[in-house]
Amino acid sequence: MAQRHLDPTDRAPAGASPGPHTAEDPPPPPHTHPDTDTDALASYLRAQATEFLRALRRHRESGASPNGASPAARSATAPATRSATPPAPPTSHVDTARALRRAARRLSGTLHTFQPLLDADWAEAMRPELAWLSGTLAMEHAYASRLERLLQALHRLSGSPALPAPRPVTGRAAAAPVPLTAPPGTPGTPAPPTAQPDRGNLTVGAAKAGALLDRQLTLARTRAHSAALQALGSSRFHAVADKVALLASEVPLRTTGPHTAPAATTAADLRPLATAAQDRLADAVAALPLVTAGSPYNAQALVHGLSPDPSPHPQDAPWHQVRLLLRLHRYAVEVLAGAYPGAAGSTGDPEDAGDCADVRLIAAGEALDRHRDASEAAAAAAQAARTPRIAPATAYALGVLHADQRHEVEAARYAFQHSWRKELTRLP
């Protein structure tokens, strides 16, 4: 099913019409003149390549790389950064990694949607490399966010005042970890809240459950941090940076390839490809159980979501697929509307779709992001509960935490169907 949705060649004919718009379908892509469509695609790709190289330069200036900037990285960034905006102030590793991830994700998604208009060999070689880079850089942030989410949920469920805070990942010795408990009356320690009778057993195991999650997820985060730094210093990354640097100056369109017939040098229309991405999203949403997700806390779905099966529940997979297809649709809308991050008139966070997006797409995307986060947090709690020889109170706390995150999954599904069925409302 995933291959069917993500196949870039599965598109509508050039003269096909997306049909009348309803509240059940994504909004149609904006109209652009066919003579400017290819230029819009090239401009968008060049802009994203420039953003990538600018973020790479900030990463090098911040000293986040373990060995500093290599000659390959310097040569890769030179063509675009000399003509770009003035140097930005130094930023943290987290900020530069996020900017690199955004640009790589948009480049990869755009190459996927509009691959028939680009050089086939080049696009097929670039897409997996950009996906590898984006996925590698995203893991550290994902583990940190997951740990913070689970610790906050434990604090909320148990009412315990002291749970371990996520420890920063650095190359130097970290500060002493926050103690799980503090003696009563310690200066600066808040007074413990009034214990609730129905939370007694959970409070007993919450501190140990939090410590267990802290150890497991901090270790995973440390490994992801090391993997990201190794990736940014590898020859594979420098090869990607070199190709992106070339992309910032010249986009390898199929119409300009050496094997293209002279009659094909006219600009191509992007709308059929954007409409195909829209149709794939509409088909995937139509296959979701939106009627079942019509309740914010769906007990029937939780029966399956609380399964002891260690593998991710197949019930979540279609929702994750819709999230990816929604992102591809948003990027296609950005290309046709020319609202890329950093463009004139763009006002939103680069993570958002920009001025070309409607409120419904933004709200639906946020709901699916929450769905993904809650689903992965529930899986992490279940994995921690399988640790051998843990105390029954700890296992009980982790089980309650897992059920809480599955409730959050159902709440996110309800929020998605609620926002998706709203009438189209465009940003002013």
Side-chain angles (χ1 to χ4, degrees):
M1 178 177 179
Q3 288 294 332
R4 173 181 174 270
H5 287 313
L6 293 180
D7 185 5
T9 60
D10 182 19
R11 60 184 186 276
S17 172
H21 170 69
T22 65
E24 296 295 326
D25 299 324
H31 175 76
T32 55
H33 196 278
D35 292 340
T36 62
D37 278 349
T38 304
D39 292 338
L41 175 60
S43 298
Y44 185 85
L45 291 174
R46 284 195 295 265
Q48 295 307 316
T50 302
E51 289 294 322
F52 180 96
L53 297 173
R54 185 181 293 116
L56 179 58
R57 181 188 61 185
R58 292 199 300 266
H59 172 81
R60 186 177 71 247
E61 292 172 350
S62 67
S65 177
N67 301 317
S70 66
R74 286 194 293 268
S75 63
T77 56
T81 55
R82 291 175 181 172
S83 60
T85 57
T91 54
S92 67
H93 164 72
V94 175
D95 294 333
T96 55
R98 182 182 295 113
L100 282 171
R101 194 167 67 244
R102 289 170 179 167
R105 192 168 56 232
R106 277 179 160 80
L107 283 172
S108 178
T110 304
L111 295 184
H112 172 82
T113 302
F114 300 102
Q115 181 176 351
L117 300 180
L118 301 166
D119 181 81
D121 295 337
W122 175 85
E124 285 292 341
M126 277 291 288
R127 276 183 49 210
E129 296 302 295
L130 291 169
W132 159 77
L133 177 62
S134 177
T136 302
L137 297 180
M139 293 308 298
E140 179 186 355
H141 173 73
Y143 285 122
S145 300
R146 195 171 307 158
L147 177 58
E148 181 181 4
R149 180 187 186 93
L150 289 171
L151 293 183
Q152 288 179 351
L154 269 177
H155 178 83
R156 169 174 50 83
L157 292 169
S158 66
S160 58
L163 286 172
R167 292 191 293 269
V169 178
T170 61
R172 301 179 178 87
V178 179
L180 297 182
T181 59
T186 302
T189 303
T194 303
Q196 299 187 14
D198 58 344
R199 291 183 177 179
N201 292 334
L202 180 58
T203 304
V204 170
K208 292 184 178 180
L212 178 59
L213 289 169
D214 182 47
R215 288 195 301 271
Q216 292 184 350
L217 292 179
T218 300
L219 176 60
R221 181 189 176 192
T222 303
R223 291 173 176 172
H225 180 80
S226 300
L229 293 182
Q230 291 176 1
L232 292 176
S234 65
S235 58
R236 183 179 182 181
F237 170 75
H238 294 315
V240 175
D242 289 338
K243 293 180 180 180
V244 173
L246 295 176
L247 179 62
S249 57
E250 181 181 359
V251 177
L253 297 171
R254 185 183 295 269
T255 55
T256 59
H259 303 291
T260 305
T265 57
T266 58
D269 189 357
L270 304 183
R271 285 172 296 166
L273 299 176
T275 301
Q278 170 191 335
D279 293 341
R280 288 192 292 269
L281 172 61
D283 292 342
V285 172
L288 293 177
L290 293 185
V291 175
T292 305
S295 173
Y297 295 101
N298 182 12
Q300 180 181 359
L302 283 174
V303 170
H304 302 286
L306 298 178
S307 169
D309 186 1
S311 62
H313 198 277
Q315 187 186 66
D316 294 338
W319 296 86
H320 297 331
Q321 177 73 11
V322 169
R323 176 178 170 271
L324 296 177
L325 293 174
L326 177 61
R327 177 171 287 174
L328 292 177
H329 172 61
R330 283 174 45 195
Y331 296 164
V333 172
E334 287 182 4
V335 172
L336 269 64
Y340 49 84
S346 180
T347 59
D349 186 319
E351 290 286 356
D352 293 334
D355 294 339
C356 63
D358 65 277
V359 175
R360 189 175 62 146
L361 285 183
I362 295 176
E366 291 174 349
L368 291 175
D369 287 341
R370 294 196 301 271
H371 178 276
R372 186 266 324 263
D373 294 341
S375 173
E376 293 179 348
Q383 182 65 31
R386 298 185 188 95
T387 303
R389 295 183 298 278
I390 60 175
T394 304
Y396 173 72
L398 291 170
V400 173
L401 182 60
H402 175 259
D404 174 76
Q405 293 304 301
R406 292 307 307 184
H407 274 290
E408 294 295 331
V409 167
E410 297 307 318
R413 293 178 183 179
Y414 172 78
F416 171 79
Q417 70 88 25
H418 182 71
S419 62
W420 189 256
R421 291 181 171 181
K422 285 183 177 180
E423 293 295 332
L424 178 64
T425 304
R426 301 193 70 83
L427 292 175

